[in-house]
Amino acid sequence: MQTLLQIKDLSIDFITENGVIPAIKDLSLSIDRGEILAIVGESGSGKSVTALSILQLLPPTANYKSGEIIFFENNGHTNLLSQSFKQIQQVRGNKIAIIFQEPMTSLNPVFSCGEQVTETIVANKKISRAQAKELTIRLFEKVKLPHASDIYHRFPHQLSGGQKQRVMIAIALSCNPSLLICDEPTTALDVTVQKSILELIKEIQQAEKIGVIFITHDLGLVAEIADRAVVMLKGKIVEQGNVNVIFNKPQHPYTKALMNCRPTMHKKGERLPVVSDFTGVEIDYKELRSGDEQYKSKIPNQSVNQSGIPLIRVQDLSVWFPARKNFLGKILTNTKAIDEISFEVYKGETLGLVGESGCGKTTLGRTLLRLVQPTSGKILFEGKDMAEFDSGELKRMRKNIQIVFQDPYSSLNPRLTIGSAIEEPLIVHKILSSAKERREKVEELLGDVDLKPEHFERYPHEFSGGQRQRIVIARALALNPSFIVCDESVSALDVSVQSQILNLLTDLKKQLGFTVIFISHDLSVVHYLSDRIMVMHKGKIVETGTAEEIYFHPQKDYTKKLIAAIPTI
């Protein structure tokens, strides 16, 4: 096959106040026309830095220490690193396009989706705005957006995550590039939406015969889409080759670790391995007590009692939001986020709640905490109707009910040290009388989630994603709650960091005996962690059963679709 792009001996450093930080070390790889090359690794491995360097999109602090990035065209080849700003502008979009991880931050919120694609076309092609609009609508149809003419006039916030990602793909394809770079384009998307995006990229790649660099931390996705794979660790390539060869006979311990950290590779209840189990080295995080038999022996066995009184009982619960109002403000139609559902949560159990975005699972979790007010129905906590609680009773109840949000960075105050953030609920609820006692309690909580006492004075931006998630878990545990809602708390994490958080939740649950509702769109994770599973679709519970029944013997077509969409190796 004909080579499209070749990277030779690339080394990149970042110049910071604390000195020089190596990001890429002597990296060499190539991609052919019509080929999909996957670059795999955890956060910090250098895969995104590699991709961004191709189009000179790295910040000014980046120092291209050595190497070449050769782009081959019909009439010759060019070293992209030697191109001027004006020259590289002609390459961006026209010849090499990129799809970023988070479409909401990549799309301009004040322009309609159609205008943003049209603008790209007009800037790169000598055609009128009317012709560009027609081409945009055809592109929207090509990426299978419903009602393409309507989508043209909609703003990014009016689209779902999957639809926004399709708009980004349309922008990337608008100028017929030879190479498409996909930087984690499906992270945090529903498994069904993720599957449709992967199928779309594959379909477009085959139809247009373009090269694709697909960046991910999930080897399951690589198996679904790629021809070859490159595995990166700490800025270096540790293994590369045909996907089937790598999956059947992985050579490097790190590749084996990435494959074995996935919940789908392990029996329910079996402790998930972490990277250090395979490599024998630390990679920005600590192993979570996986070898501490003395610690494990102290954990009491918890049993789920479904014959007694439930901790929470939900009866005919509905939550409606206004969908359309007239000019006087009268509500004309409602969106039924939750539509007359009933269920029970028993003491000590982990209840998994799964479904696609928009099914109502997050709204349900927040309604249980009275962060969203129900339209009708009852929520009984320890036999008492929460709707009848006054402000004082509600405040006391909140000591026993906590939540771990999906994005730990946005749920932590960037101006507070993480010690102050964890200490705050202790102050609000007047737990412990002195600052010294509270600090000791916070340091104890940090130890429970395998962070260090000296982390008390650090700010959220100084931690990795997995560490921030542990901080949020520590804050949720500060008041010794009896019930915790985990809302997509591992959806955007690397697979090995995800395995650590799942191990941590399992350990803490056994140690402290709290009850959990674990919300996720990934049935493989929910099956691994949960005792029972509820499947939600369009505001209703469509199926309930034990984790084994739902995962291995689903009854409803919707549940079968969710399971079929899980990437497998």
Side-chain angles (χ1 to χ4, degrees), residues 50-82:
T50 302
L52 294 175
S53 66
I54 294 172
L55 290 173
Q56 295 188 30
L57 292 174
L58 294 175
T61 54
N63 173 37
Y64 293 88
K65 191 175 177 183
S66 63
E68 296 178 310
I69 300 178
I70 309 298
F71 180 61
F72 294 87
E73 301 178 80
N74 294 330
N75 56 352
H77 60 272
T78 307
N79 181 7
L80 296 177
L81 293 184
S82 65

Side-chain angles (χ1 to χ4, degrees), residues 10 64 80 139 207 218 239 289 316 393 437 447 511 515-516:
L10 181 66
Y64 293 88
L80 296 177
L139 279 167
D218 190 344
E239 189 166 356
R289 303 186 176 101
D316 300 321
E393 290 175 311
E437 289 178 313
Q511 183 186 23
T515 304
V516 180

Side-chain angles (χ1 to χ4, degrees), residues 420-465:
S420 298
I422 298 171
E423 184 184 23
E424 191 173 34
L426 298 175
I427 296 172
V428 169
H429 290 279
K430 298 178 181 178
I431 307 295
L432 304 176
S433 56
S434 70
K436 181 182 177 183
E437 289 178 313
R438 289 194 296 269
R439 175 151 189 147
E440 289 174 353
K441 175 65 174 177
V442 171
E443 290 179 352
E444 180 185 333
L445 287 165
L446 289 173
D448 285 341
V449 297
D450 278 339
L451 293 172
K452 299 175 182 177
E454 53 264 35
H455 289 152
F456 187 104
E457 301 296 344
R458 294 187 186 178
Y459 289 86
H461 73 272
E462 298 180 84
F463 295 89
S464 69

Side-chain angles (χ1 to χ4, degrees), residues 3 9 23 106 111 119 122 131 139 151 159 172 185 198 253 259 274 282 308 332 365 407 427 449 481 501 503 534 543:
T3 301
D9 302 319
S106 303
F111 290 100
E119 180 186 25
V122 171
Q131 290 173 313
L139 279 167
I151 294 287
L159 304 185
L198 291 177
M259 292 180 65
V274 294
E282 266 190 301
L332 301 178
D407 182 0
I427 296 172
V449 297
I501 298 299
N503 285 339
M534 290 195 315
E543 191 166 359

Side-chain angles (χ1 to χ4, degrees), residues 327-432:
F327 70 98
L328 295 175
K330 182 180 178 180
I331 298 172
L332 301 178
T333 58
N334 288 291
T335 298
K336 297 182 179 181
I338 300 174
D339 191 8
E340 294 186 353
I341 65 172
S342 300
F343 64 93
E344 296 170 337
V345 186
Y346 296 90
K347 289 184 179 179
E349 84 166 325
T350 300
L351 177 64
L353 183 60
V354 297
E356 298 173 286
S357 295
C359 72
K361 58 187 188 296
T362 293
T363 300
L364 174 58
R366 297 188 178 199
T367 305
L368 293 178
L369 275 71
R370 287 287 300 275
L371 297 176
V372 173
Q373 297 303 315
T375 303
S376 62
K378 290 185 176 182
I379 303 172
L380 304 176
F381 180 70
E382 295 182 331
K384 299 177 182 178
D385 188 351
M386 290 173 61
E388 297 176 358
F389 288 1
D390 59 26
S391 59
E393 290 175 311
L394 194 60
K395 183 178 178 180
R396 286 190 292 273
M397 181 273 296
R398 291 199 191 282
K399 287 174 61 178
N400 291 319
I401 298 182
Q402 293 293 313
I403 186 168
V404 178
F405 292 102
Q406 177 175 355
D407 182 0
Y409 192 72
S410 63
S411 59
L412 290 169
N413 188 332
R415 297 182 179 181
L416 291 182
T417 65
I418 62 113
S420 298
I422 298 171
E423 184 184 23
E424 191 173 34
L426 298 175
I427 296 172
V428 169
H429 290 279
K430 298 178 181 178
I431 307 295
L432 304 176

Side-chain angles (χ1 to χ4, degrees), residues 132-143:
K133 181 178 179 179
E134 290 179 11
L135 180 56
T136 298
I137 293 173
R138 288 202 301 271
L139 279 167
F140 282 172
E141 291 170 347
K142 186 175 183 177
V143 298

